[in-house]
Amino acid sequence: RRRLFGAALLCALAGCAATGPTQGSLSDVAALTRTIQSMSPQVDPAEARRAAELSYRFAFQLAHSYQITDPPLIHNVKVNNGSKPRGLCWHWAEDLEKRLLAEGFATLDMHRAIANGDSRILLDHSTAIISASGAQMEAGLVLDPWRQGGELFWSPVMSDPRYDWEPREEVLRRNGRVR
């Protein structure tokens, strides 16, 4: 009886557990589209919509490709010990940036950034950033699917509640690292 009760309890609790990453709702995509468009009057509305849809959809695809089943830091341990293929923050950033660049947007640019690049205590964190064409990275939007385990997080660079971003190349040059 105890085993049966325990099994039933586990099944009930599993039903309340998170189901994993989603592709984003229509309202999520619409909000990101509006925010991308608001970066500059020169941003093409169709490109903004395509970038928003693609960001959500590709983050979802990467979560499946990377076999995301755990929170980000636990997944990192699994990648580093070889039991998962990819899924470190810089994998997400690199793959998302490449996919968005492949679209050949005329009114949008991509950037890469690193936070905590000088910290001896905190882990550094990488992300992709989208901006209006010709704009500085700081005027763009963070696109970060790693932070929430495959759910796309986005925020204006300068108001990200968790990280202070620097251009990736500056951090790598300063730290003598090449990826």
Side-chain angles (χ1 to χ4, degrees):
R1 280 192 137 168
R2 281 186 186 178
R3 286 187 190 158
L4 184 58
F5 176 75
L9 181 60
L10 283 175
C11 287
L13 291 174
C16 295
T19 57
T22 65
Q23 292 189 56
S25 69
L26 291 175
S27 63
D28 292 333
V29 172
L32 180 54
T33 299
R34 283 190 303 275
T35 306
I36 292 171
Q37 275 185 259
S38 73
M39 292 189 296
S40 168
Q42 281 72 42
V43 171
D44 180 307
E47 285 193 358
R49 177 73 180 187
R50 200 162 82 238
E53 289 172 346
L54 186 56
S55 295
Y56 273 102
R57 186 173 62 245
F58 196 63
F60 178 75
Q61 291 170 353
L62 288 175
H64 286 279
S65 173
Y66 296 164
Q67 304 168 15
I68 302 295
T69 56
D70 298 296
L73 292 175
I74 293 172
H75 188 82
N76 280 13
V77 170
K78 291 180 177 183
V79 172
N80 287 327
N81 76 19
S83 63
K84 294 285 184 168
R86 283 176 71 82
L88 303 177
C89 61
W90 69 268
H91 294 144
W92 291 94
E94 177 178 80
D95 292 347
L96 183 57
E97 177 193 36
K98 281 182 184 177
R99 180 61 189 92
L100 288 167
L101 284 171
E103 288 296 300
F105 294 123
T107 65
L108 298 169
D109 285 341
M110 294 301 302
H111 312 265
R112 289 282 298 282
I114 295 177
N116 304 327
D118 290 334
S119 178
R120 298 201 184 275
I121 298 170
L122 300 172
L123 295 174
D124 67 11
H125 181 45
S126 295
T127 198
I129 293 174
I130 194 166
S131 72
S133 184
Q136 295 293 312
M137 175 200 92
E138 293 80 5
L141 297 172
V142 171
L143 300 175
D144 186 1
W146 176 87
R147 187 180 311 201
Q148 297 174 163
E151 290 285 338
L152 183 66
F153 168 87
W154 57 269
S155 167
V157 171
M158 299 307 289
S159 58
D160 187 324
R162 191 164 172 190
Y163 295 105
D164 293 322
W165 297 103
E166 296 181 81
R168 177 180 179 263
E169 291 305 316
E170 287 180 22
V171 174
L172 295 179
R173 189 173 31 258
R174 184 176 62 234
N175 294 339
R177 298 185 310 181
V178 177
R179 243 191 211 131

